[in-house]
Amino acid sequence: MADAKVIPFDDDRSRARRRPPARSGGEAAVRALPAQQPPSGAAEPAVGSGGGWERRLAGGLAFLRRRVTGEYEVDEFGYDQELTDQVLMSLLRPVYEKYFRVEVKGVENIPKDGGALVVSNHSGTLPLDGLMMQVAVHDHHPAGRHLRLLAADLVFMLPVVNELARKAGHTLACAEDAERLLRAGEIVGVMPEGFKGIGKPFSERYKLQRFGRGGFVSTALRAGVPIVPCSIVGAEEIYPMVGNAKTLARVLGLPYFPLTPTFPWLGPVGALPLPTKWTIQFGEPIPTDGYPLEAAEDPMLMFNLTDQVREQIQHTLYKLLVQRRSVFF
């Protein structure tokens, strides 16, 4: 299989949104085929006529040809936009729509262009909340933005998961990578609670853990981008963590080993998440472009902004919980 073409991240093509850039000549027509729409006023193919199936088949074959021949592009972080749009999002979408039945609010608070830092609570024992937030932005933002998540080191140490995470646009949670993405006009997602959030016991659900030292605020200040708080309700109950096998976790090199009412007692079946009903709400953006350059080095300012973001997320969580009638419906 041929290698994909790697494009420098500051190349304008890396900022393309919902559809990869077309190539010149006949290949551009093949690339554009799956996304073609009939002209205004043109008649749609009749149901059963095979027109729609023919287009999808042609698009699928063209997609496979590009994968085999290496005629696709990835940025220097490994993000493969075409694979994400056509495959990874299609695999996650049924979980998002049918299993967790996610309701999205305030997605228009994410800017339609330019960089922004989305800061969210983190929960659920396994980091499914980040993936669902990614689908929410991808499918519901009016401008078709794509969320680039910052992930922990552990994600990039796991075989298969490492490769899929990079293909989906995730990158290591470090200030340098985050700032480069933000300056390039990307939407970056961060969950400052980290393992403290997803590994907390069920008794502490929806109580935000410490947000670290405010490194995400410093990054947003240096890049001059707004901070968009995000609150996720529903993820806390998918794996109710009632215990932690710490010795086993140390042996396996994991931050924790969860014990839930179903796992590991029911084996692989017990690893299935509970089908809770989710709500993801994006709050009003907090601007940072009005601060001087040296503000990123002011610890008091970082503390105040970090506390403001944390309090806004926590307040929204409580508000959504009061409005929720049922965990599952």
Side-chain angles (χ1 to χ4, degrees):
M1 182 179 293
D3 294 332
K5 181 180 178 182
V6 179
I7 54 177
F9 191 71
D10 58 356
D11 195 305
D12 290 340
R13 290 173 295 180
S14 65
R15 306 178 193 177
R17 292 298 167 212
R18 298 301 292 271
R19 194 166 59 246
R23 302 175 191 269
S24 61
E27 193 167 312
V30 174
R31 177 179 285 270
L33 187 57
Q36 285 180 343
Q37 298 295 331
S40 177
E44 292 283 354
V47 177
S49 66
W53 285 107
E54 290 174 1
R55 284 199 299 273
R56 280 193 284 269
L57 178 60
L61 292 174
F63 173 79
L64 291 175
R65 180 184 63 79
R66 289 193 295 273
R67 309 314 295 186
V68 171
T69 59
E71 295 177 8
Y72 59 94
E73 296 172 345
V74 298
D75 70 17
E76 61 186 86
F77 293 96
Y79 170 44
D80 188 332
Q81 180 179 312
E82 183 182 47
L83 184 70
T84 299
D85 288 347
Q86 297 195 25
V87 178
L88 301 182
M89 288 294 114
S90 297
L91 294 174
L92 290 172
R93 195 167 290 118
V95 180
Y96 173 93
E97 294 179 347
K98 305 299 182 184
Y99 198 79
F100 293 134
R101 294 148 292 147
V102 181
E103 179 184 0
V104 183
K105 300 180 179 180
V107 70
E108 66 279 358
N109 286 322
I110 297 175
K112 64 179 181 179
D113 51 37
L117 185 67
V118 177
V119 182
S120 173
N121 60 306
H122 204 13
S123 63
T125 305
L126 291 180
L128 297 180
D129 50 358
L131 297 176
M132 296 299 103
M133 184 168 65
Q134 190 175 6
V135 178
V137 175
H138 183 277
D139 285 5
H140 295 282
H141 193 276
R145 303 301 302 268
H146 195 290
L147 184 67
R148 306 289 294 269
L149 289 171
L150 302 181
D153 298 12
L154 180 61
V155 172
F156 300 103
M157 296 178 183
L158 299 174
V160 182
V161 173
N162 166 32
E163 186 67 20
L164 288 175
R166 291 199 179 277
K167 293 287 188 184
H170 305 177
T171 191
L172 191 64
C174 67
E176 292 78 10
D177 285 357
E179 188 173 348
R180 288 185 65 197
L181 287 166
L182 290 170
R183 289 187 182 277
E186 298 288 339
I187 302 297
V188 176
V190 63
M191 295 173 162
E193 292 176 281
F195 290 123
K196 301 188 301 292
I198 58 175
K200 66 177 178 286
F202 188 64
S203 59
E204 297 181 14
R205 60 193 181 279
Y206 297 113
K207 296 178 182 178
L208 292 184
Q209 304 299 298
R210 187 168 171 267
F211 265 24
R213 300 177 181 177
F216 68 91
V217 169
S218 177
T219 301
L221 285 169
R222 284 195 295 269
V225 300
I227 299 172
V228 181
C230 177
S231 302
I232 303 176
V233 165
E236 295 274 13
E237 294 90 359
I238 61 173
Y239 292 111
M241 186 169 162
V242 296
N244 180 13
K246 296 181 179 179
T247 302
L248 184 56
R250 282 196 297 269
V251 170
L252 297 175
L254 299 174
Y256 55 88
F257 188 89
L259 302 175
T260 76
T262 58
F263 181 82
W265 330 113
L266 300 182
V269 176
L272 290 175
L274 297 177
T276 57
K277 175 74 171 63
W278 288 33
T279 301
I280 299 178
Q281 180 161 333
F282 298 93
E284 292 286 339
I286 300 171
T288 66
D289 55 355
Y291 294 96
L293 293 177
E294 60 272 16
E297 309 302 326
D298 184 345
M300 185 57 66
L301 175 62
M302 284 194 293
F303 175 81
N304 289 336
L305 282 176
T306 300
D307 192 55
Q308 180 183 350
V309 175
R310 188 179 181 278
E311 287 300 315
Q312 188 168 334
I313 294 173
Q314 184 70 81
H315 175 76
T316 303
L317 286 174
Y318 288 147
K319 181 179 177 180
L320 293 173
L321 288 170
V322 169
Q323 296 172 350
R324 184 171 69 167
R325 291 175 295 176
S326 169
V327 173
F328 297 102
F329 303 103

